[in-house]
Amino acid sequence: MNKPHGPIRVCLVGYGYATRTFHAPSIQAVPRLSVELVASSRPEHVRAELPGVAVEADPMRAVVDADIDLVVIATPNDTHFPLAQAALRAGKHVVVDKPMTPSLSEACELSATARTHGRLLSVFHNRRWDSDFLSVRQAMREGLIGEVRHFESRIERFRPQVRDRWRERPGPAAGLWWDIGPHLVDQALALFGWPDTVQANLARQRSGATTEDWAHVVLGFGPTRAILHAGMLAALPGPRFVMHGTRGSMIKAQPDRQEQQLIAGVRPGDPHWGTDPDPLQWRCDDGPTQTRTALSGDQSRFYVELADAIAGNGPNPVEPDEAVRVMAVMEAAVRSAAEGSAVSPRVP
């Protein structure tokens, strides 16, 4: 894998919510990364926020630009595969926003292309660096409540009105499961490994919904059950994480705050960046309820580690095979919901 000399020159493909809120601020926080080009149909928005950065209207031309080392793709899900494939074949390193592709077969093909061309391919599973997940993972590694047998992970919102945006229109990998599901699945696989079974229920609950806006998925890991839940009608959301183990129970009630901080203009490295005032709570062996301060989150670590990996100084923060396994579980859930029964995910 060729190692670029000097700053790693980045092309951002797409300049919507994901790029403006997550990718651009995180990349700008890493001195070794330099945004040189943005592919967008709204050049005025790019120039207002990234003055001096070149803008290209055609994303396919942008991903093969000779002056770019790294392509970051944050476009509608059905465009991920052709854009990433073209960039890899042009000798670029590639980051794809989640989900990796609309299908498992495309994910496997993309991973193979990266190997063939000797380029780094990664997927932006940024919630591995959330304060809530980091706190729960540390507590589980310590065996704080013994062996976890019941695990709940939920991301709920209150958005009763259907919005006219690609995520909520019919199409490949559209709907709430494909928007939130990759985060929930990736975290569960990081904690428990490969599931034996997947049982899913997907529904459209809001008036006028044309894609699924509610998801309830149960992953089986031997005697352990991981419940993954997402919905759009939760004015009073449930706890972010709930765990019951062989010695007791644990709750992380409130979610990570980084998205809200980024929207408010807080940036990686600023005072209080990633801090989480909501403590982890647990009770075990009939003792009193205890709390501990949550770990701080830092999603910009994805790009710090990515820059290290491109320079040959560390591992890929999210290996393609890990993202492919997420895709396999995502597809298994869709199959389970359609069949109305538990299925065994196909090992990629």
Side-chain angles (χ1 to χ4, degrees), residues 15 26 43 71 82 85 96 103 136 141 198 217-218 249 251 281 329:
Y15 201 67
S26 293
V71 172
Q85 188 84 310
V96 185
S103 70
V136 164
R141 287 175 173 174
V198 177
V217 179
V218 181
S249 298
I251 292 178
Q281 305 172 62
V329 175

Side-chain angles (χ1 to χ4, degrees), residues 4 8-13 34-40 53-73 82-94 119:
I8 298 166
R9 300 165 298 178
V10 180
C11 169
L12 300 175
V13 186
S34 175
V35 177
E36 301 291 331
L37 178 64
V38 175
S40 174
V53 173
V55 181
E56 168 59 62
D58 184 349
M60 196 58 76
R61 289 183 60 180
V63 301
V64 300
D65 189 287
D67 295 327
I68 293 301
D69 305 305
L70 169 65
V71 172
V72 176
I73 299 169
L83 291 171
Q85 188 84 310
L88 290 167
R89 288 174 173 168
K92 315 302 180 185
H93 305 294
V94 173
R119 290 297 178 265

Side-chain angles (χ1 to χ4, degrees), residues 142-261:
E142 294 173 4
L144 206 61
I145 59 170
E147 295 293 325
V148 172
R149 292 290 180 255
H150 175 103
F151 173 87
E152 294 181 37
S153 173
R154 60 179 65 230
I155 297 178
E156 296 177 302
R157 298 163 175 167
F158 187 61
R159 294 178 181 169
Q161 303 301 320
V162 176
R163 293 191 283 179
D164 184 20
R165 57 179 193 156
W166 66 263
R167 286 182 176 85
E168 299 185 50
R169 299 187 204 116
L176 188 63
W177 175 238
W178 287 98
D179 186 21
I180 301 299
H183 291 311
L184 300 174
V185 171
D186 182 64
Q187 290 180 337
L189 299 191
L191 293 174
F192 298 105
W194 185 250
D196 306 309
T197 57
V198 177
Q199 183 149 14
N201 195 317
L202 307 176
R204 301 177 189 180
Q205 295 191 329
R206 296 174 298 167
S207 176
T210 57
T211 58
E212 286 79 8
D213 56 11
W214 182 90
H216 191 84
V217 179
V218 181
L219 307 183
F221 302 89
T224 297
R225 295 295 179 268
I227 300 164
L228 313 180
H229 185 84
M232 299 288 266
L233 292 176
L236 292 172
R240 176 67 181 88
F241 289 105
V242 174
M243 287 139 287
H244 304 304
T246 54
R247 290 188 56 206
S249 298
M250 179 165 52
I251 292 178
K252 180 65 178 71
Q254 297 299 316
D256 177 272
R257 301 192 308 160
Q258 289 176 83
E259 183 171 356
Q260 286 67 40
Q261 288 185 316

